[in-house]
Amino acid sequence: ELLAENERLREENARLSLKGALYDELHATVVRLEMLLLRTPEDGAPILAHVIASPAGSPYDSFVIDVGLSDGVSVGDQVIYDETIVLGSVTLATEHASRVALLSSPGTMIEASIGTNASVVTVEGRGGGMFVMKLPKDAVVSAHDAIVPRGDTKALGFVAQTESNDSDAFQTVYAVMPINLFETREVLVLRGDDTIHE
């Protein structure tokens, strides 16, 4: 009888654990749906937006997102990913949609710091989430160093590789955004924040 009771308790414990895991998953889904449906974040909170056209389906190196003037979005609002990566800013806002120009747009120039010594450099967008910059050859830069726009705390990208040759006093540093822009489905809009402009 004790063995049978132990087996019954084990089965009951397994069922309760499964129910707990399912509840946690369901609760997370409900919270996510509430954010998507209500779209009324607290003052100062980012607005969750769906990407309805990625760089593959919109003008080069821009997003179209499904929030606009009716959601409190304005031209100049900063657009970020996961609260740690700055992507760009809103350049056009209609009633229910907005266009976002990415910082990696070709020709975009951004002042940023890089590396442990926080060297200030001019970063140039190269398209497709890629950047390039020139640093003195003796500047210490390592792969995966963050590149942070001046006046911001979020990174725009990370060092991918460096190139130099003996006849040049500078090294070329290439950087990339740490996300796949063509598969990004959701971003956050910071209303009224200081934004990096082209």
Side-chain angles (χ1 to χ4, degrees):
E1 288 181 359
L2 285 174
L3 288 174
E5 179 65 10
N6 283 339
E7 183 62 26
R8 186 189 69 78
L9 290 173
R10 277 197 296 270
E11 290 177 358
E12 181 66 16
N13 187 50
R15 280 195 295 271
L16 290 173
S17 296
L18 180 58
K19 284 182 179 179
L22 290 174
Y23 173 82
D24 290 343
E25 184 176 340
L26 180 60
H27 178 70
T29 300
V30 168
V31 170
R32 184 178 180 80
L33 288 173
E34 286 176 345
M35 288 182 66
L36 289 171
L37 293 174
L38 298 178
R39 293 282 173 83
T40 52
E42 297 177 1
D43 290 343
I47 297 175
L48 180 66
H50 273 119
V51 176
I52 55 179
S54 72
S58 63
Y60 195 55
D61 257 43
S62 65
F63 279 152
V64 177
I65 55 177
D66 68 342
V67 293
L69 298 172
S70 63
D71 305 289
V73 174
S74 303
V75 171
D77 285 350
Q78 191 179 67
V79 178
I80 64 175
Y81 180 83
D82 197 30
E83 299 189 1
T84 57
I85 303 297
V86 56
L87 298 176
S89 61
V90 174
T91 56
L92 175 67
T94 64
E95 195 67 17
H96 301 292
S98 301
R99 184 177 65 209
V100 179
L102 302 178
L103 294 179
S104 58
S105 298
T108 299
M109 310 297 282
I110 308 142
E111 292 293 310
S113 62
I114 180 175
T116 55
N117 295 327
S119 301
V120 177
V121 296
T122 299
V123 182
E124 179 182 353
R126 283 294 180 92
M130 296 182 289
F131 306 90
V132 66
M133 65 214 82
K134 290 278 191 180
L135 273 78
K137 189 179 290 185
D138 59 357
V140 179
V141 179
S142 304
H144 308 302
D145 278 351
I147 302 163
V148 180
R150 294 189 74 174
D152 209 327
T153 58
K154 297 172 286 297
L156 64 83
F158 296 86
V159 173
Q161 69 179 68
T162 61
E163 288 182 357
S164 63
N165 57 63
D166 294 338
S167 61
D168 196 340
F170 292 87
Q171 58 180 316
T172 302
V173 179
Y174 298 95
V176 294
M177 286 183 173
I179 62 173
N180 186 332
L181 294 173
F182 302 100
E183 295 181 0
T184 300
R185 296 291 176 261
E186 295 170 353
V187 295
L188 296 171
V189 181
L190 302 183
R191 295 170 295 170
D193 269 41
D194 291 334
T195 308
I196 307 299
H197 296 284
E198 294 185 21

